[in-house]
Amino acid sequence: MFVYKIDEELSLRMFNEKDAEEFFQLTMQSKEYLKEWLGWLDYTNEEEDSLAFIKATLKGVIETGGYPKTTAIIYKGSIAGIIGFNEINRLHKIGVMGYWLGQQFQGKGIMMRACKAYIKYGFHELDLNRIEIRVAEENKKSRAIPEKLGFQEEGKIRQAEWLYDHYVDHVIYGLLVEEWKQNN
Protein backbone atom coordinates (compact mmCIF):
# COMPACT_ATOMS: atom_id res chain seq x y z
CA MET A 1 0.00 0.00 0.00
CA PHE A 2 1.29 3.44 -0.97
CA VAL A 3 1.85 5.73 2.04
CA TYR A 4 3.80 8.98 1.84
CA LYS A 5 4.52 10.48 5.25
CA ILE A 6 4.85 14.27 5.08
CA ASP A 7 5.29 15.01 8.79
CA GLU A 8 4.10 13.78 12.20
CA GLU A 9 0.46 14.71 11.58
CA LEU A 10 0.09 14.52 7.81
CA SER A 11 0.45 11.79 5.19
CA LEU A 12 -0.89 10.75 1.81
CA ARG A 13 -2.04 7.22 1.18
CA MET A 14 -3.79 5.18 -1.41
CA PHE A 15 -7.51 4.76 -0.85
CA ASN A 16 -8.89 1.32 -0.09
CA GLU A 17 -12.48 0.10 -0.17
CA LYS A 18 -12.72 0.24 3.63
CA ASP A 19 -12.42 4.05 3.38
CA ALA A 20 -15.82 4.41 1.68
CA GLU A 21 -17.84 5.22 4.81
CA GLU A 22 -15.36 7.74 6.25
CA PHE A 23 -14.83 9.39 2.85
CA PHE A 24 -18.57 9.59 2.26
CA GLN A 25 -19.11 11.17 5.70
CA LEU A 26 -16.40 13.76 5.05
CA THR A 27 -18.00 14.59 1.70
CA MET A 28 -21.46 14.96 3.24
CA GLN A 29 -20.21 17.07 6.17
CA SER A 30 -18.58 19.49 3.73
CA LYS A 31 -21.07 19.22 0.87
CA GLU A 32 -22.58 22.72 1.03
CA TYR A 33 -19.15 24.27 1.56
CA LEU A 34 -17.59 22.35 -1.36
CA LYS A 35 -20.49 22.99 -3.75
CA GLU A 36 -19.28 26.54 -4.30
CA TRP A 37 -16.42 25.21 -6.45
CA LEU A 38 -17.01 21.49 -7.14
CA GLY A 39 -19.70 20.49 -9.63
CA TRP A 40 -19.97 16.76 -8.92
CA LEU A 41 -21.45 16.82 -5.40
CA ASP A 42 -25.06 16.27 -6.48
CA TYR A 43 -23.93 12.87 -7.78
CA THR A 44 -22.68 11.75 -4.36
CA ASN A 45 -25.71 10.76 -2.32
CA GLU A 46 -24.84 7.48 -0.67
CA GLU A 47 -21.84 5.53 0.53
CA GLU A 48 -21.91 3.42 -2.65
CA ASP A 49 -21.07 6.55 -4.67
CA SER A 50 -17.91 7.07 -2.62
CA LEU A 51 -17.07 3.38 -2.97
CA ALA A 52 -17.42 3.62 -6.76
CA PHE A 53 -15.04 6.59 -6.74
CA ILE A 54 -12.51 4.68 -4.63
CA LYS A 55 -12.68 1.69 -7.00
CA ALA A 56 -12.00 4.05 -9.91
CA THR A 57 -8.93 5.44 -8.11
CA LEU A 58 -7.64 1.90 -7.64
CA LYS A 59 -7.90 1.35 -11.42
CA GLY A 60 -5.70 4.43 -11.82
CA VAL A 61 -2.87 2.50 -10.17
CA ILE A 62 -2.89 0.12 -13.12
CA GLU A 63 -2.78 3.01 -15.62
CA THR A 64 0.37 4.44 -14.01
CA GLY A 65 2.24 1.15 -13.73
CA GLY A 66 1.71 0.73 -9.99
CA TYR A 67 1.63 4.31 -8.76
CA PRO A 68 -1.61 5.85 -7.45
CA LYS A 69 -3.05 8.81 -9.38
CA THR A 70 -5.21 9.82 -6.41
CA THR A 71 -4.60 9.62 -2.68
CA ALA A 72 -6.38 10.39 0.55
CA ILE A 73 -4.97 13.21 2.63
CA ILE A 74 -4.65 11.82 6.16
CA TYR A 75 -4.49 14.37 8.97
CA LYS A 76 -4.00 13.05 12.51
CA GLY A 77 -5.36 9.66 11.45
CA SER A 78 -8.50 10.90 9.64
CA ILE A 79 -9.27 11.41 5.98
CA ALA A 80 -9.18 15.19 5.54
CA GLY A 81 -9.49 15.42 1.76
CA ILE A 82 -8.11 14.22 -1.51
CA ILE A 83 -5.30 15.06 -3.88
CA GLY A 84 -4.44 13.54 -7.21
CA PHE A 85 -3.85 13.79 -10.90
CA ASN A 86 -7.20 14.09 -12.67
CA GLU A 87 -5.37 13.44 -15.92
CA ILE A 88 -1.95 12.07 -16.79
CA ASN A 89 -0.65 12.25 -20.34
CA ARG A 90 2.18 9.68 -20.43
CA LEU A 91 3.33 10.66 -23.93
CA HIS A 92 3.85 14.33 -23.07
CA LYS A 93 4.59 13.71 -19.36
CA ILE A 94 1.91 16.12 -18.14
CA GLY A 95 -0.21 15.74 -15.03
CA VAL A 96 -3.27 17.85 -14.20
CA MET A 97 -3.55 18.03 -10.43
CA GLY A 98 -6.73 18.49 -8.42
CA TYR A 99 -7.51 18.61 -4.72
CA TRP A 100 -10.10 19.39 -2.08
CA LEU A 101 -10.17 19.52 1.69
CA GLY A 102 -13.06 19.01 4.09
CA GLN A 103 -14.37 22.20 5.67
CA GLN A 104 -13.27 21.31 9.21
CA PHE A 105 -9.66 20.86 8.01
CA GLN A 106 -9.30 24.30 6.42
CA GLY A 107 -6.79 26.84 7.70
CA LYS A 108 -4.19 24.39 9.04
CA GLY A 109 -1.71 24.47 6.13
CA ILE A 110 -2.69 20.91 5.21
CA MET A 111 -3.28 21.47 1.51
CA MET A 112 -0.08 23.44 0.98
CA ARG A 113 1.98 20.63 2.53
CA ALA A 114 0.04 17.97 0.61
CA CYS A 115 0.53 19.81 -2.69
CA LYS A 116 4.27 20.19 -2.12
CA ALA A 117 4.52 16.45 -1.50
CA TYR A 118 2.35 15.56 -4.50
CA ILE A 119 4.34 17.78 -6.82
CA LYS A 120 7.52 16.01 -5.69
CA TYR A 121 5.79 12.66 -6.23
CA GLY A 122 4.69 13.71 -9.74
CA PHE A 123 8.15 14.81 -10.80
CA HIS A 124 10.15 12.05 -9.07
CA GLU A 125 7.98 8.95 -9.17
CA LEU A 126 5.74 9.57 -12.18
CA ASP A 127 8.54 11.20 -14.19
CA LEU A 128 6.35 14.14 -15.24
CA ASN A 129 7.83 17.12 -17.03
CA ARG A 130 4.91 19.45 -16.34
CA ILE A 131 2.19 19.74 -13.71
CA GLU A 132 -0.90 21.85 -14.27
CA ILE A 133 -3.47 23.09 -11.81
CA ARG A 134 -6.75 24.46 -13.14
CA VAL A 135 -8.76 26.56 -10.72
CA ALA A 136 -12.02 28.50 -10.97
CA GLU A 137 -11.05 32.13 -11.49
CA GLU A 138 -12.92 33.39 -8.41
CA ASN A 139 -11.70 30.59 -6.10
CA LYS A 140 -9.09 32.72 -4.34
CA LYS A 141 -8.22 30.14 -1.65
CA SER A 142 -7.44 27.44 -4.18
CA ARG A 143 -5.60 29.82 -6.50
CA ALA A 144 -3.28 30.87 -3.68
CA ILE A 145 -1.77 27.38 -3.57
CA PRO A 146 -0.18 27.23 -7.05
CA GLU A 147 0.77 30.89 -6.77
CA LYS A 148 2.69 30.26 -3.52
CA LEU A 149 4.28 27.11 -4.93
CA GLY A 150 5.91 28.84 -7.89
CA PHE A 151 3.49 27.88 -10.65
CA GLN A 152 3.17 30.31 -13.55
CA GLU A 153 -0.25 31.65 -14.46
CA GLU A 154 -0.56 30.70 -18.12
CA GLY A 155 -4.02 31.69 -19.19
CA LYS A 156 -7.72 31.19 -18.82
CA ILE A 157 -10.23 28.72 -20.19
CA ARG A 158 -13.55 30.47 -20.59
CA GLN A 159 -16.64 28.70 -19.28
CA ALA A 160 -14.57 25.65 -18.42
CA GLU A 161 -16.90 24.17 -15.81
CA TRP A 162 -20.64 24.03 -15.15
CA LEU A 163 -21.42 24.62 -11.47
CA TYR A 164 -25.10 23.72 -11.02
CA ASP A 165 -26.61 26.88 -12.56
CA HIS A 166 -23.72 28.78 -14.16
CA TYR A 167 -20.37 28.40 -15.90
CA VAL A 168 -17.06 29.43 -14.35
CA ASP A 169 -13.80 30.26 -16.06
CA HIS A 170 -10.64 28.38 -15.08
CA VAL A 171 -7.20 29.87 -14.64
CA ILE A 172 -4.41 27.51 -15.72
CA TYR A 173 -1.20 27.32 -13.74
CA GLY A 174 1.84 25.36 -14.89
CA LEU A 175 5.08 24.22 -13.30
CA LEU A 176 7.93 22.57 -15.20
CA VAL A 177 10.27 20.08 -13.58
CA GLU A 178 13.27 22.31 -14.37
CA GLU A 179 11.62 25.25 -12.57
CA TRP A 180 10.79 23.05 -9.60
CA LYS A 181 14.36 21.71 -9.38
CA GLN A 182 15.76 25.26 -9.28
CA ASN A 183 13.70 26.03 -6.17
CA ASN A 184 13.92 22.72 -4.31
Side-chain angles (χ1 to χ4, degrees), residues 12-56:
L12 306 175
R13 74 162 168 76
M14 202 163 80
F15 277 99
N16 64 64
E17 291 183 20
K18 293 177 185 175
D19 291 327
E21 181 182 355
E22 182 181 0
F23 187 57
F24 175 71
Q25 292 304 320
L26 174 68
T27 305
M28 291 301 99
Q29 291 164 3
S30 300
K31 190 171 189 171
E32 289 308 310
Y33 172 78
L34 294 171
K35 278 182 86 168
E36 182 176 9
W37 301 116
L38 299 175
W40 51 265
L41 286 150
D42 281 350
Y43 301 101
T44 301
N45 298 305
E46 55 189 62
E47 190 177 317
E48 282 299 313
D49 298 325
S50 293
L51 180 60
F53 171 80
I54 289 169
K55 287 179 179 180

Side-chain angles (χ1 to χ4, degrees), residues 15-176:
F15 277 99
N16 64 64
E17 291 183 20
K18 293 177 185 175
D19 291 327
E21 181 182 355
E22 182 181 0
F23 187 57
F24 175 71
Q25 292 304 320
L26 174 68
T27 305
M28 291 301 99
Q29 291 164 3
S30 300
K31 190 171 189 171
E32 289 308 310
Y33 172 78
L34 294 171
K35 278 182 86 168
E36 182 176 9
W37 301 116
L38 299 175
W40 51 265
L41 286 150
D42 281 350
Y43 301 101
T44 301
N45 298 305
E46 55 189 62
E47 190 177 317
E48 282 299 313
D49 298 325
S50 293
L51 180 60
F53 171 80
I54 289 169
K55 287 179 179 180
T57 69
L58 297 174
K59 282 185 181 179
V61 174
I62 297 165
E63 295 171 17
T64 61
Y67 296 97
K69 284 174 51 176
T70 304
T71 61
I73 299 170
I74 307 299
Y75 179 71
K76 296 183 178 179
S78 297
I79 298 174
I82 187 169
I83 190 166
F85 289 106
N86 298 327
E87 302 170 31
I88 295 178
N89 182 315
R90 302 301 278 164
L91 176 64
H92 300 295
K93 297 184 175 188
I94 298 171
V96 180
M97 200 164 88
Y99 45 80
W100 65 264
L101 202 58
Q103 185 173 9
Q104 67 267 38
F105 297 101
Q106 297 286 319
K108 301 175 187 321
I110 294 169
M111 192 54 76
M112 186 64 73
R113 290 181 280 163
C115 282
K116 282 181 183 178
Y118 222 73
I119 291 165
K120 182 178 179 181
Y121 168 71
F123 287 140
H124 277 238
E125 303 300 326
L126 299 180
D127 194 32
L128 298 176
N129 179 61
R130 172 184 170 83
I131 295 176
E132 293 179 6
I133 297 177
R134 300 174 183 187
V135 181
E137 186 174 30
E138 299 301 316
N139 188 344
K140 304 220 182 298
K141 284 169 120 178
S142 196
R143 286 184 65 181
I145 291 170
E147 290 170 0
K148 289 177 182 174
L149 292 174
F151 282 69
Q152 300 295 312
E153 184 177 328
E154 298 179 336
K156 179 169 51 172
I157 302 173
R158 297 177 303 139
Q159 297 188 359
E161 183 178 16
W162 176 254
L163 287 179
Y164 308 102
D165 62 357
H166 67 286
Y167 283 100
V168 295
D169 297 342
H170 280 187
V171 176
I172 301 172
Y173 293 93
L175 181 66
L176 304 177

Side-chain angles (χ1 to χ4, degrees), residues 176-184:
L176 304 177
V177 68
E178 62 199 40
E179 297 165 337
W180 179 78
K181 284 179 179 177
Q182 289 173 359
N183 297 315
N184 291 291

Side-chain angles (χ1 to χ4, degrees), residues 4-15:
Y4 187 99
K5 186 174 179 178
I6 297 171
D7 56 40
E8 289 303 313
E9 58 185 16
L10 189 62
S11 61
L12 306 175
R13 74 162 168 76
M14 202 163 80
F15 277 99

